Amino acid sequence: MARVHLRALFADDPARGERLALEAAGLRLDYSKHLVTDATLERLCALADESGLRARIDALFAGEPVNESEGRAALHPALRAPVGVSFRVDGVDVVPAVHEVLERMGEFARRVRGGAFSGATGARVRHVVHIGIGGSDLGPAMATEALASYADPHLDVRFVSNVDGADLARATAGLDPAETLFVICSKTFTTLETLTNARSAREWCVAALGEAAVAKHFVAVSTSRDEVAAFGIDPDNRFGFWDWVGGRFSLDSAIGLSLMLSIGPERFAELLAGFRAMDEHFTSAPWHANMPVLMGLLGIWYTNFFGAETHAVLPYDRSLARFPAFLQQLEMESNGKSVDREGRPVDHATAPVVWGEPGTDGQHAFFQLLHQGTRLIPCDLIGFARSRYPLGGHHDLLIANLFAQSEALAFGRLEDEGPHRRFPGNRPSSTLLAEELTPAVLGAMVALYEHKVLVQGTVWQINSFDQWGVELGKALAKRIVPELTGPEIALDHDSSTNALIHWYRRHRRSG
């Protein structure tokens, strides 16, 4: 296939564009502009079978400990299960507990949005500041921006994740503490960056309103009742989740509380329905008509057979500006592994680098490399038939650019206008479309990529549900903090790190 051009594939099969497309859960995937034939797809599906994909899907949905290194289930599909459906972990049906939390979230969101929940002075909450990091931030931050057109216009929701003081300072700039609610998201309530920001937010609130105000201006999403209570948060305002929910798979858990505050419980229920529709498609459709399976296998095709090292996600909708960053964590933290599930080194490439930017901005930045560079970079182009922000002919122009880029990447231009103006084409892309960016569509999109992660991790025979690579740098940072600020002590790092610490100490004092 490396010697076959997409121009030839389309010339040989005039119906290819209609034939290599499928619809599910409100999404349409056009995968015709990929360097595959029917035989290629048959062999990729056979690879999925040989890799044990069906058994792995069944194990995940059965609540088995598919996170082998931590001995845990990864049962995020239970977060969107309807009442009456059973998902079991260690023999216990977890769906009733999920719905109990959802009901408490919904009740709280209605009180805040309706004004029944007020701050220490009796003032209505008009600002929500969500404090988390990683999976406790990227999902809700992405979704809140994506669904901003559904937001309560009287409730301003902001997000803080970076321990850089500028992040919290900017998020609280201009806010009235009496009208501000903080949502602190940390599974253990010990995450260093999150708790550092939370304590500073607490000081900001207490300085204006007094110590007793903490219980009226802070809520928590955490499994740790004791740590939450020690912080001063009312235990009734703690929303729990479970160790079988990985952070990057937690948008539809209580981690999504700030999103629910923004769009309301009813819209959040629509989001969950979109997740569920994609779950049902993924577990029932045959491989050749299964959207997450095909997207996962196409990624395998380019990563392992063509040597592609990156994958671009290009949403032609400004509301999805954070979607590539969300997928970076989802895919790279899940499948950025170099040992298999038994702990043995793998002898093949795993997750590519995921990156992207909304169109049309990217066209005037990095598309030059996509079209005429020396690297093969498969792309996902995402768009919608209708805009939530209709303005003159803007949306038609936006979607014309999406379709034009898809066409140009695939077919290029070979007219003899000199080598600098030649476009080789043969650059593969998927086009993912929906009628409109609704909560249900966003839920289906997130579930699509969640299940793509499982497909690829299964073929690579790796554990997609741990993230030990996050830990080492955090542990070293805890060791270095007192060396930056405390008494001068003998350093025991490498010569580079020692020199950096000495430089920082000198210049920190001189400021």
Side-chain angles (χ1 to χ4, degrees):
M1 292 305 301
R3 296 187 296 273
V4 175
H5 201 287
L6 284 166
R7 284 191 293 269
L9 294 176
F10 274 81
D12 292 344
D13 180 5
R16 180 182 175 91
E18 289 290 337
R19 197 168 58 79
L20 298 188
L22 66 108
E23 298 190 9
L27 304 177
R28 174 184 171 87
L29 174 69
D30 178 345
Y31 60 98
S32 63
K33 296 186 178 80
H34 282 285
L35 293 165
V36 295
T37 63
D38 291 343
T40 316
L41 294 169
E42 288 174 10
R43 292 173 183 179
L44 287 169
C45 290
L47 176 60
D49 284 329
E50 184 179 314
S51 302
L53 180 58
R54 173 51 61 194
R56 189 71 170 167
I57 293 172
D58 291 345
L60 181 135
F61 278 79
E64 295 179 16
V66 293
N67 180 351
E68 292 88 355
S69 72
E70 296 180 279
R72 293 177 180 173
L75 198 54
H76 39 278
L79 297 171
R80 51 265 196 170
V83 174
V85 172
S86 176
F87 281 86
R88 295 186 175 274
V89 177
D90 297 327
V92 177
D93 184 4
V94 300
V95 175
V98 167
H99 280 273
E100 180 185 357
V101 172
L102 285 171
E103 288 168 11
R104 289 186 58 235
M105 290 167 60
E107 179 186 358
F108 180 74
R110 291 186 184 95
R111 290 175 61 211
V112 171
R113 288 164 60 88
F117 181 95
S118 59
T121 68
R124 180 172 181 161
V125 171
R126 300 192 183 280
H127 309 283
V128 174
V129 179
H130 176 115
I131 298 179
I133 198 167
S136 297
D137 168 79
L138 282 164
M142 175 277 294
T144 300
E145 182 171 350
L147 300 177
S149 64
Y150 293 90
D152 182 342
H154 305 295
L155 197 62
D156 171 31
V157 181
R158 306 181 183 189
F159 290 84
V160 175
S161 59
N162 200 315
V163 75
D164 184 342
D167 203 13
L168 181 63
R170 290 171 181 172
T172 55
L175 302 190
D176 181 350
E179 298 178 340
T180 302
L181 176 71
F182 291 92
V183 179
I184 314 300
C185 294
S186 170
K187 182 180 285 189
T188 61
F189 222 71
T190 59
T191 309
L192 181 60
E193 299 91 340
T194 299
L195 267 294
T196 299
N197 280 324
R199 292 186 189 106
S200 294
R202 190 184 193 281
E203 292 172 5
W204 179 83
C205 178
V206 168
L209 303 173
E211 188 72 28
V214 173
K216 295 293 289 182
H217 289 268
F218 284 80
V219 301
V221 178
S222 175
T223 61
S224 179
R225 176 181 291 271
D226 293 342
E227 294 287 347
V228 167
F231 189 90
I233 294 174
D234 184 341
D236 288 340
N237 291 333
R238 180 186 69 88
F239 301 88
F241 57 117
W242 305 270
D243 64 4
W244 44 262
V245 181
R248 56 195 176 276
F249 299 94
S250 66
L251 167 60
D252 42 341
S253 73
I255 290 293
L257 177 61
S258 296
L259 171 64
M260 183 185 281
L261 289 168
S262 177
I263 65 174
E266 293 74 21
R267 295 297 190 184
F268 196 86
E270 294 172 12
L271 178 86
L272 298 182
F275 272 99
R276 189 160 58 246
M278 185 55 70
D279 291 345
E280 293 169 355
H281 166 73
F282 179 54
T283 54
S284 63
W287 300 158
H288 69 274
N290 191 306
M291 197 176 288
V293 171
L294 286 174
M295 287 185 68
L297 292 175
L298 288 167
I300 295 285
W301 178 231
Y302 295 113
T303 298
N304 297 108
F305 296 92
F306 282 81
E309 295 183 344
T310 80
H311 184 93
V313 178
L314 309 168
Y316 277 72
D317 191 305
R318 189 65 183 77
S319 298
L320 288 176
R322 297 296 306 279
F323 195 58
F326 169 73
L327 294 184
Q328 282 177 343
Q329 187 200 21
L330 179 63
E331 298 200 27
M332 294 168 69
E333 191 168 274
S334 295
N335 288 339
K337 311 292 170 59
S338 57
V339 297
D340 67 13
R341 297 202 295 267
E342 305 298 322
R344 300 168 299 204
V346 299
D347 60 358
H348 49 261
T350 55
V353 174
V354 177
W355 60 282
E357 184 76 13
T360 55
D361 290 338
Q363 294 174 199
H364 294 266
F366 51 78
F367 270 54
Q368 168 65 43
L369 186 148
L370 297 183
H371 285 291
Q372 292 185 309
T374 58
R375 301 177 187 276
L376 179 73
I377 302 177
C379 304
D380 293 350
L381 298 104
I382 302 171
F384 304 94
R386 297 186 298 273
S387 172
R388 296 288 301 173
Y389 302 95
L391 185 62
H394 285 234
H395 193 65
D396 292 338
L397 177 60
L398 179 71
I399 298 305
N401 272 276
L402 187 164
F403 295 162
Q405 292 298 327
S406 168
E407 184 177 16
L409 287 165
F411 305 112
R413 184 179 65 192
L414 296 183
E415 296 95 272
D416 190 12
E417 297 185 28
H420 300 291
R421 297 190 179 187
R422 234 174 251 142
F423 290 74
N426 226 28
R427 311 296 172 101
S429 69
S430 297
T431 301
L432 185 65
L433 301 174
E435 291 186 14
E436 191 172 304
L437 180 54
T438 64
V441 163
L442 183 64
M445 286 174 56
V446 173
L448 167 63
Y449 282 92
E450 286 181 350
H451 298 323
K452 173 192 169 185
V453 161
L454 176 67
V455 172
Q456 294 187 331
T458 300
V459 174
W460 288 322
Q461 298 294 306
I462 57 177
N463 180 359
S464 300
F465 304 110
D466 62 10
Q467 59 277 334
W468 295 108
V470 177
E471 302 301 320
L472 177 58
K474 292 168 65 174
L476 290 174
K478 289 181 181 179
R479 175 185 168 194
I480 290 173
V481 166
E483 296 173 341
L484 298 179
T485 59
E488 189 82 48
I489 59 174
L491 299 177
D492 156 5
H493 303 280
D494 61 275
S495 61
S496 170
T497 305
N498 288 342
L500 293 170
I501 292 171
H502 284 306
W503 182 94
Y504 181 83
R505 287 180 66 99
R506 290 195 307 272
H507 291 274
R508 179 178 183 272
R509 292 180 185 136
S510 66

